[in-house]
Amino acid sequence: MDAVQKIVGKALVASPERQAEADQDWVIVKRVQEGDVAAFDALVLKYRERVFGLVYHLTSNREDASDLAQESFIKAFQSIHRFQGQSSFFTWLYRIATNTALTQLRKNKLRGFFSFEKLHEEEASPEVLNQLVDRTSGGDRGALLSELQERLNEAFQKLSIKHRTVVTLFEIDGLSHEEIAEIMDCSVGTVRSRLHYAKQLLQAELQDYLHP
Amino acid sequence: MKRPGNMGLEELLRLKRAERPDPAFWARFEAELRVRQLAAIVEKRPWWHPVMQTWGALRWGRLPWGAAGAAAVAIAVFWQHRGVDGVQSQSPELRQTAFVAEAVEDVTQMPLPVVGPSVDAEYPGQADRMDTPAVSAVSPGSLTPLVPWVGEALRAADQGSYRVSEALAVEASLADAGMLGVEVGPALGVNHGFESRALPAFRDVSDEPLAAVPSPREARRQRLMASLASVSDDDGRATGNRSTRAQVRDRLTRRLSEEELYDSVSRLTGGGDRLIVKF
């Protein structure tokens, strides 16, 4: 276990929770590397929603996101014997998913239309929803949410791939600048710059919904 | 259009976190992933995958020794191959010469045809023309340009289409050279691995049945001599000079014999600073 700590200690871990998470993942990875293929299911079950969410926000199409998320897990499964624990498994898996999605986006082989997931109202911020209801003066709540969801995804797709990735990882997945820099294989300053520029573009696109 | 009650960008982006699929979606997702995972397990690796694995596992410290051993094996195989197959290791010219030597040996073993001598008996002048350039043409280096042609001709003869005609041509040339005492082997430059053998003697023309047929040229000569004799007798009787008739006959006979000069290439002689042409 000391060796595991030594290796995982090299990884960029933002918090003690992430450290504990990385240790657990490393143990599972070692089991998979030793031939316990069924142990990989635990990793899939743990990260499938986050990987799917990442790819979904990059593509704005649920079918494409499903295919790309599955492809990301397959790539991770095929390459897991080369994972040496230099970074956390979560970062390594996110890098695979990001590269897989970016490759498909650059090839422009994805579907050319939006296919949104259902927006769960109970998981959304109550303050935001209340402000939207008040603004529509008691209008149709569901229609208002659908309109906002469509405008958000349109604004996302107007961003470049790299800016879209940075915003997704930072604002939606809640990763730190350092983690994003490690995933995207760039500097932290580049991440900050891209994030700033992407927010400016989004504010310009969504100015009807923002504070003056 | 500005709408009332706007919010911050982060609050709006937080709404996207609420976009999540239903639980039924995850059941389908897991089933599909299971199928693809099993397919990936049993999927056949590409042909270059073992090569890449070998390349990755290669111990680079031993690479120079392995390369030196491979080079030594390659050199040994090369020299062994060269020692066993001496003909293949020779130059293309020597190989061609050896091929011609074998072909000449085959031709000398073939029976002589009947057609050649009969033609010579009917037109003996042509035989003289064939003999004359052969003396000056056969020299140690003069047949070297003919070697590729002979090789091609004999190769075509092996294919069967022109076997008889080409074999006769080569046979006639070799027979002429044999009559003149010229050794064909040194002339062809074959000194290695070629055993020269005696060429068969030129067959006597008189043995052939067509040789008994009188030549029309000889009949014409006898007829002219007879007419000239009668003319000279009449002239001699008129002049009464016997010596004069003998002189005329000798002159006419010499003139007739000089007709052959028109068919001979030996009428051209030269020496030093002059050229003499005989008509």
CSV table of all heavy atoms in Angstrom, one decimal, chain A residues 64-102:
chain,number,residue,atom,x,y,z
A,64,ASP,N,-25.0,10.5,-29.5
A,64,ASP,CA,-23.5,10.6,-29.7
A,64,ASP,C,-22.8,10.4,-28.4
A,64,ASP,O,-21.8,9.8,-28.3
A,64,ASP,CB,-23.2,11.9,-30.4
A,64,ASP,CG,-23.6,11.9,-31.8
A,64,ASP,OD1,-23.6,10.8,-32.4
A,64,ASP,OD2,-23.7,13.0,-32.4
A,65,ALA,N,-23.4,11.0,-27.4
A,65,ALA,CA,-22.7,11.0,-26.1
A,65,ALA,C,-22.7,9.5,-25.5
A,65,ALA,O,-21.7,9.1,-24.9
A,65,ALA,CB,-23.5,11.9,-25.1
A,66,SER,N,-23.8,8.8,-25.8
A,66,SER,CA,-23.8,7.4,-25.3
A,66,SER,C,-22.7,6.6,-26.1
A,66,SER,O,-21.9,5.8,-25.4
A,66,SER,CB,-25.2,6.8,-25.6
A,66,SER,OG,-25.2,5.4,-25.3
A,67,ASP,N,-22.6,6.8,-27.4
A,67,ASP,CA,-21.6,6.0,-28.1
A,67,ASP,C,-20.2,6.4,-27.7
A,67,ASP,O,-19.3,5.5,-27.5
A,67,ASP,CB,-21.8,6.3,-29.6
A,67,ASP,CG,-23.0,5.7,-30.2
A,67,ASP,OD1,-23.6,4.8,-29.5
A,67,ASP,OD2,-23.5,6.1,-31.2
A,68,LEU,N,-20.0,7.7,-27.5
A,68,LEU,CA,-18.6,8.1,-27.2
A,68,LEU,C,-18.2,7.7,-25.8
A,68,LEU,O,-17.0,7.4,-25.5
A,68,LEU,CB,-18.5,9.6,-27.4
A,68,LEU,CG,-18.6,10.1,-28.8
A,68,LEU,CD1,-18.6,11.7,-28.9
A,68,LEU,CD2,-17.4,9.6,-29.6
A,69,ALA,N,-19.2,7.8,-24.9
A,69,ALA,CA,-18.9,7.3,-23.5
A,69,ALA,C,-18.5,5.9,-23.5
A,69,ALA,O,-17.6,5.4,-22.8
A,69,ALA,CB,-20.1,7.6,-22.6
A,70,GLN,N,-19.3,5.0,-24.2
A,70,GLN,CA,-18.9,3.6,-24.3
A,70,GLN,C,-17.6,3.4,-24.9
A,70,GLN,O,-16.8,2.6,-24.5
A,70,GLN,CB,-20.0,2.9,-25.1
A,70,GLN,CG,-21.4,2.8,-24.4
A,70,GLN,CD,-22.4,2.1,-25.2
A,70,GLN,OE1,-22.1,1.4,-26.1
A,70,GLN,NE2,-23.7,2.4,-24.9
A,71,GLU,N,-17.3,4.1,-26.0
A,71,GLU,CA,-16.0,4.0,-26.6
A,71,GLU,C,-14.9,4.4,-25.7
A,71,GLU,O,-13.8,3.8,-25.7
A,71,GLU,CB,-16.0,4.9,-27.9
A,71,GLU,CG,-14.8,4.7,-28.7
A,71,GLU,CD,-14.8,5.5,-30.0
A,71,GLU,OE1,-16.0,5.9,-30.4
A,71,GLU,OE2,-13.8,5.6,-30.7
A,72,SER,N,-15.1,5.4,-24.9
A,72,SER,CA,-14.1,5.8,-23.9
A,72,SER,C,-13.8,4.8,-22.9
A,72,SER,O,-12.6,4.5,-22.6
A,72,SER,CB,-14.6,7.1,-23.2
A,72,SER,OG,-14.8,8.2,-24.1
A,73,PHE,N,-14.9,4.1,-22.4
A,73,PHE,CA,-14.6,3.0,-21.5
A,73,PHE,C,-13.9,1.8,-22.1
A,73,PHE,O,-13.1,1.2,-21.5
A,73,PHE,CB,-16.0,2.6,-20.9
A,73,PHE,CG,-16.5,3.5,-19.7
A,73,PHE,CD1,-17.6,4.3,-19.9
A,73,PHE,CD2,-15.8,3.6,-18.6
A,73,PHE,CE1,-18.0,5.1,-18.9
A,73,PHE,CE2,-16.2,4.4,-17.5
A,73,PHE,CZ,-17.3,5.2,-17.7
A,74,ILE,N,-14.3,1.6,-23.3
A,74,ILE,CA,-13.6,0.5,-24.0
A,74,ILE,C,-12.1,0.8,-24.2
A,74,ILE,O,-11.2,-0.1,-24.0
A,74,ILE,CB,-14.3,0.2,-25.4
A,74,ILE,CG1,-15.7,-0.3,-25.2
A,74,ILE,CG2,-13.5,-0.8,-26.2
A,74,ILE,CD1,-15.8,-1.6,-24.4
A,75,LYS,N,-11.8,2.0,-24.6
A,75,LYS,CA,-10.4,2.4,-24.7
A,75,LYS,C,-9.7,2.3,-23.4
A,75,LYS,O,-8.5,1.8,-23.4
A,75,LYS,CB,-10.3,3.8,-25.3
A,75,LYS,CG,-10.7,3.9,-26.8
A,75,LYS,CD,-10.5,5.3,-27.3
A,75,LYS,CE,-10.8,5.5,-28.7
A,75,LYS,NZ,-10.6,6.9,-29.2
A,76,ALA,N,-10.3,2.7,-22.4
A,76,ALA,CA,-9.7,2.6,-21.1
A,76,ALA,C,-9.4,1.2,-20.7
A,76,ALA,O,-8.4,0.8,-20.1
A,76,ALA,CB,-10.5,3.3,-20.0
A,77,PHE,N,-10.4,0.3,-21.0
A,77,PHE,CA,-10.3,-1.1,-20.7
A,77,PHE,C,-9.1,-1.7,-21.5
A,77,PHE,O,-8.4,-2.6,-20.9
A,77,PHE,CB,-11.6,-1.8,-21.0
A,77,PHE,CG,-11.5,-3.3,-20.7
A,77,PHE,CD1,-11.5,-3.8,-19.5
A,77,PHE,CD2,-11.5,-4.2,-21.8
A,77,PHE,CE1,-11.5,-5.2,-19.3
A,77,PHE,CE2,-11.5,-5.5,-21.6
A,77,PHE,CZ,-11.5,-6.0,-20.3
A,78,GLN,N,-9.0,-1.4,-22.7
A,78,GLN,CA,-7.9,-2.0,-23.6
A,78,GLN,C,-6.6,-1.4,-23.2
A,78,GLN,O,-5.6,-2.1,-23.4
A,78,GLN,CB,-8.2,-1.7,-25.0
A,78,GLN,CG,-9.4,-2.4,-25.6
A,78,GLN,CD,-9.7,-2.1,-27.0
A,78,GLN,OE1,-9.5,-0.9,-27.4
A,78,GLN,NE2,-10.2,-3.0,-27.8
A,79,SER,N,-6.5,-0.2,-22.6
A,79,SER,CA,-5.2,0.4,-22.3
A,79,SER,C,-4.9,0.4,-20.8
A,79,SER,O,-3.9,1.0,-20.4
A,79,SER,CB,-5.2,1.8,-22.9
A,79,SER,OG,-5.5,1.8,-24.2
A,80,ILE,N,-5.7,-0.3,-20.0
A,80,ILE,CA,-5.5,-0.2,-18.6
A,80,ILE,C,-4.2,-0.8,-18.1
A,80,ILE,O,-3.6,-0.5,-17.1
A,80,ILE,CB,-6.7,-0.8,-17.9
A,80,ILE,CG1,-6.8,-0.2,-16.4
A,80,ILE,CG2,-6.6,-2.3,-17.9
A,80,ILE,CD1,-8.1,-0.5,-15.7
A,81,HIS,N,-3.6,-1.7,-19.0
A,81,HIS,CA,-2.4,-2.4,-18.6
A,81,HIS,C,-1.2,-1.4,-18.7
A,81,HIS,O,-0.1,-1.6,-18.1
A,81,HIS,CB,-2.1,-3.6,-19.4
A,81,HIS,CG,-1.9,-3.3,-20.9
A,81,HIS,ND1,-3.0,-3.0,-21.7
A,81,HIS,CD2,-0.8,-3.1,-21.6
A,81,HIS,CE1,-2.5,-2.8,-22.9
A,81,HIS,NE2,-1.2,-2.8,-22.9
A,82,ARG,N,-1.4,-0.3,-19.4
A,82,ARG,CA,-0.4,0.7,-19.5
A,82,ARG,C,-0.5,1.9,-18.5
A,82,ARG,O,0.3,2.8,-18.5
A,82,ARG,CB,-0.4,1.4,-20.9
A,82,ARG,CG,0.0,0.4,-22.0
A,82,ARG,CD,0.1,1.0,-23.3
A,82,ARG,NE,-1.2,1.5,-23.8
A,82,ARG,CZ,-1.4,1.9,-25.0
A,82,ARG,NH1,-0.4,2.0,-25.9
A,82,ARG,NH2,-2.6,2.3,-25.4
A,83,PHE,N,-1.6,1.8,-17.7
A,83,PHE,CA,-1.8,2.8,-16.7
A,83,PHE,C,-0.8,2.6,-15.5
A,83,PHE,O,-0.9,1.5,-14.9
A,83,PHE,CB,-3.3,2.8,-16.2
A,83,PHE,CG,-3.6,3.8,-15.2
A,83,PHE,CD1,-3.5,5.2,-15.4
A,83,PHE,CD2,-3.9,3.4,-13.9
A,83,PHE,CE1,-3.8,6.1,-14.4
A,83,PHE,CE2,-4.1,4.3,-12.9
A,83,PHE,CZ,-4.1,5.7,-13.2
A,84,GLN,N,0.0,3.5,-15.3
A,84,GLN,CA,1.1,3.3,-14.2
A,84,GLN,C,0.8,4.1,-13.0
A,84,GLN,O,1.6,4.1,-12.1
A,84,GLN,CB,2.4,3.7,-14.8
A,84,GLN,CG,2.8,3.0,-16.1
A,84,GLN,CD,3.1,1.5,-15.8
A,84,GLN,OE1,3.5,1.1,-14.7
A,84,GLN,NE2,2.8,0.6,-16.8
A,85,GLY,N,-0.3,4.8,-12.9
A,85,GLY,CA,-0.6,5.5,-11.7
A,85,GLY,C,0.1,6.9,-11.6
A,85,GLY,O,0.2,7.4,-10.5
A,86,GLN,N,0.6,7.3,-12.7
A,86,GLN,CA,1.2,8.7,-12.7
A,86,GLN,C,0.2,9.8,-12.4
A,86,GLN,O,0.6,10.9,-12.0
A,86,GLN,CB,1.9,8.9,-14.0
A,86,GLN,CG,3.0,7.9,-14.3
A,86,GLN,CD,4.2,7.9,-13.3
A,86,GLN,OE1,4.5,9.0,-12.8
A,86,GLN,NE2,4.7,6.8,-13.0
A,87,SER,N,-1.0,9.5,-12.7
A,87,SER,CA,-2.1,10.5,-12.4
A,87,SER,C,-3.2,9.6,-11.8
A,87,SER,O,-3.2,8.4,-11.8
A,87,SER,CB,-2.5,11.2,-13.7
A,87,SER,OG,-3.1,10.3,-14.6
A,88,SER,N,-4.3,10.3,-11.4
A,88,SER,CA,-5.4,9.6,-10.9
A,88,SER,C,-6.2,8.9,-12.0
A,88,SER,O,-6.1,9.4,-13.2
A,88,SER,CB,-6.3,10.5,-10.1
A,88,SER,OG,-6.9,11.5,-11.0
A,89,PHE,N,-6.8,7.8,-11.7
A,89,PHE,CA,-7.6,7.1,-12.7
A,89,PHE,C,-8.7,8.0,-13.3
A,89,PHE,O,-9.0,8.0,-14.5
A,89,PHE,CB,-8.2,5.8,-12.2
A,89,PHE,CG,-9.0,5.1,-13.2
A,89,PHE,CD1,-8.5,4.3,-14.2
A,89,PHE,CD2,-10.4,5.2,-13.1
A,89,PHE,CE1,-9.3,3.7,-15.1
A,89,PHE,CE2,-11.2,4.5,-14.0
A,89,PHE,CZ,-10.6,3.8,-15.0
A,90,PHE,N,-9.2,8.8,-12.5
A,90,PHE,CA,-10.3,9.7,-12.9
A,90,PHE,C,-9.7,10.7,-14.0
A,90,PHE,O,-10.4,10.9,-15.0
A,90,PHE,CB,-10.8,10.5,-11.7
A,90,PHE,CG,-11.6,11.7,-12.0
A,90,PHE,CD1,-12.8,11.7,-12.6
A,90,PHE,CD2,-11.0,13.0,-11.8
A,90,PHE,CE1,-13.5,12.8,-12.9
A,90,PHE,CE2,-11.7,14.1,-12.1
A,90,PHE,CZ,-12.9,14.1,-12.6
A,91,THR,N,-8.6,11.3,-13.7
A,91,THR,CA,-8.0,12.2,-14.7
A,91,THR,C,-7.6,11.5,-16.0
A,91,THR,O,-7.9,12.0,-17.1
A,91,THR,CB,-6.7,12.8,-14.1
A,91,THR,OG1,-7.1,13.5,-12.8
A,91,THR,CG2,-6.2,13.9,-15.0
A,92,TRP,N,-7.1,10.3,-15.8
A,92,TRP,CA,-6.7,9.5,-17.0
A,92,TRP,C,-8.0,9.2,-17.8
A,92,TRP,O,-8.0,9.3,-19.0
A,92,TRP,CB,-6.0,8.2,-16.5
A,92,TRP,CG,-5.5,7.4,-17.6
A,92,TRP,CD1,-4.5,7.6,-18.4
A,92,TRP,CD2,-6.0,6.1,-17.9
A,92,TRP,NE1,-4.3,6.5,-19.3
A,92,TRP,CE2,-5.2,5.6,-19.0
A,92,TRP,CE3,-7.0,5.2,-17.4
A,92,TRP,CZ2,-5.4,4.3,-19.6
A,92,TRP,CZ3,-7.2,4.0,-18.0
A,92,TRP,CH2,-6.4,3.5,-19.0
A,93,LEU,N,-9.0,8.8,-17.2
A,93,LEU,CA,-10.3,8.4,-17.9
A,93,LEU,C,-10.9,9.6,-18.5
A,93,LEU,O,-11.4,9.6,-19.7
A,93,LEU,CB,-11.3,7.8,-16.9
A,93,LEU,CG,-12.6,7.3,-17.5
A,93,LEU,CD1,-12.4,6.3,-18.5
A,93,LEU,CD2,-13.5,6.8,-16.4
A,94,TYR,N,-10.8,10.8,-17.8
A,94,TYR,CA,-11.4,12.0,-18.4
A,94,TYR,C,-10.6,12.4,-19.7
A,94,TYR,O,-11.1,13.0,-20.6
A,94,TYR,CB,-11.3,13.1,-17.4
A,94,TYR,CG,-12.7,13.5,-16.9
A,94,TYR,CD1,-13.6,12.5,-16.4
A,94,TYR,CD2,-13.1,14.8,-16.8
A,94,TYR,CE1,-14.8,12.9,-15.9
A,94,TYR,CE2,-14.4,15.1,-16.4
A,94,TYR,CZ,-15.2,14.2,-15.9
A,94,TYR,OH,-16.5,14.5,-15.4
A,95,ARG,N,-9.3,12.2,-19.6
A,95,ARG,CA,-8.5,12.5,-20.8
A,95,ARG,C,-8.8,11.7,-21.9
A,95,ARG,O,-8.9,12.1,-23.1
A,95,ARG,CB,-7.0,12.3,-20.4
A,95,ARG,CG,-6.0,12.9,-21.5
A,95,ARG,CD,-4.6,12.6,-21.1
A,95,ARG,NE,-4.3,13.1,-19.8
A,95,ARG,CZ,-3.2,12.8,-19.1
A,95,ARG,NH1,-2.4,11.9,-19.6
A,95,ARG,NH2,-2.9,13.4,-17.9
A,96,ILE,N,-9.1,10.4,-21.7
A,96,ILE,CA,-9.5,9.5,-22.8
A,96,ILE,C,-10.8,10.0,-23.4
A,96,ILE,O,-11.0,10.1,-24.6
A,96,ILE,CB,-9.6,8.1,-22.3
A,96,ILE,CG1,-8.2,7.5,-21.9
A,96,ILE,CG2,-10.2,7.2,-23.3
A,96,ILE,CD1,-8.2,6.2,-21.3
A,97,ALA,N,-11.8,10.3,-22.5
A,97,ALA,CA,-13.1,10.7,-23.0
A,97,ALA,C,-13.0,12.0,-23.8
A,97,ALA,O,-13.6,12.2,-24.8
A,97,ALA,CB,-14.0,10.8,-21.8
A,98,THR,N,-12.2,12.9,-23.2
A,98,THR,CA,-12.1,14.2,-23.9
A,98,THR,C,-11.4,14.1,-25.3
A,98,THR,O,-11.9,14.6,-26.3
A,98,THR,CB,-11.2,15.2,-23.1
A,98,THR,OG1,-11.8,15.3,-21.8
A,98,THR,CG2,-11.2,16.6,-23.7
A,99,ASN,N,-10.4,13.3,-25.3
A,99,ASN,CA,-9.7,13.1,-26.6
A,99,ASN,C,-10.6,12.4,-27.6
A,99,ASN,O,-10.6,12.7,-28.8
A,99,ASN,CB,-8.4,12.3,-26.5
A,99,ASN,CG,-7.4,13.2,-25.7
A,99,ASN,OD1,-7.4,14.4,-25.8
A,99,ASN,ND2,-6.5,12.5,-25.0
A,100,THR,N,-11.4,11.4,-27.1
A,100,THR,CA,-12.3,10.7,-28.0
A,100,THR,C,-13.4,11.6,-28.6
A,100,THR,O,-13.6,11.6,-29.8
A,100,THR,CB,-13.0,9.5,-27.2
A,100,THR,OG1,-11.9,8.7,-26.7
A,100,THR,CG2,-13.9,8.7,-28.2
A,101,ALA,N,-13.9,12.4,-27.7
A,101,ALA,CA,-15.0,13.4,-28.2
A,101,ALA,C,-14.4,14.4,-29.1
A,101,ALA,O,-15.0,14.7,-30.2
A,101,ALA,CB,-15.6,14.0,-27.0
A,102,LEU,N,-13.2,14.9,-28.8
A,102,LEU,CA,-12.6,15.9,-29.7
A,102,LEU,C,-12.2,15.4,-31.0
A,102,LEU,O,-12.4,16.1,-32.0
A,102,LEU,CB,-11.4,16.5,-29.0
A,102,LEU,CG,-11.6,17.3,-27.7
A,102,LEU,CD1,-10.3,18.0,-27.2
A,102,LEU,CD2,-12.7,18.4,-27.9
